[in-house]
Amino acid sequence: MSTVRAFEFQRRYCRFQHVAQREPAETTLHGRREFVLLSAEQFDWLRASAQRSHRADAAADALIDDVERAEMHVVNRPLDDLLK
């Protein structure tokens, strides 16, 4: 992620618009992170991603039952030894 001081960001805004099309551009003020400029496409992806996340305690009872009954494939059984 590109980082730039707020003063430089103000002076060269168009340049950082182009940077933000490729990757988020971070601005700092007095050495502290203040804002992040990102493309509309990146913002839309983040917003959609946040809406897709679900809390485990909100899962349907049927899903919780399925997870509790699930068994690990034989190939992965040695992983259980790592938890002991």
Side-chain angles (χ1 to χ4, degrees):
M1 178 176 349
S2 297
T3 302
V4 63
R5 293 176 308 190
F7 177 75
E8 184 181 352
F9 178 80
Q10 290 173 337
R11 290 183 59 215
R12 302 174 79 187
Y13 178 74
C14 288
R15 177 179 179 269
F16 292 103
Q17 279 183 308
H18 293 292
V19 169
Q21 289 298 325
R22 292 187 314 274
E23 65 177 354
E26 182 177 85
T27 64
T28 61
L29 183 62
H30 303 295
R32 289 182 308 214
R33 185 175 179 216
E34 286 287 310
F35 297 100
V36 177
L37 178 68
L38 55 136
S39 70
E41 182 180 337
Q42 291 166 337
F43 176 77
D44 291 343
W45 183 89
L46 286 173
R47 178 182 258 172
S49 176
Q51 292 172 350
R52 284 191 305 267
S53 63
H54 302 285
R55 295 179 48 95
D57 59 359
D61 290 337
L63 176 61
I64 293 170
D65 291 341
D66 288 345
V67 170
E68 288 174 347
R69 285 193 311 271
E71 292 185 21
M72 192 179 322
H73 189 277
V74 161
V75 174
N76 297 319
R77 292 243 168 105
L79 297 174
D80 281 338
D81 295 335
L82 296 175
L83 297 173
K84 294 177 183 175

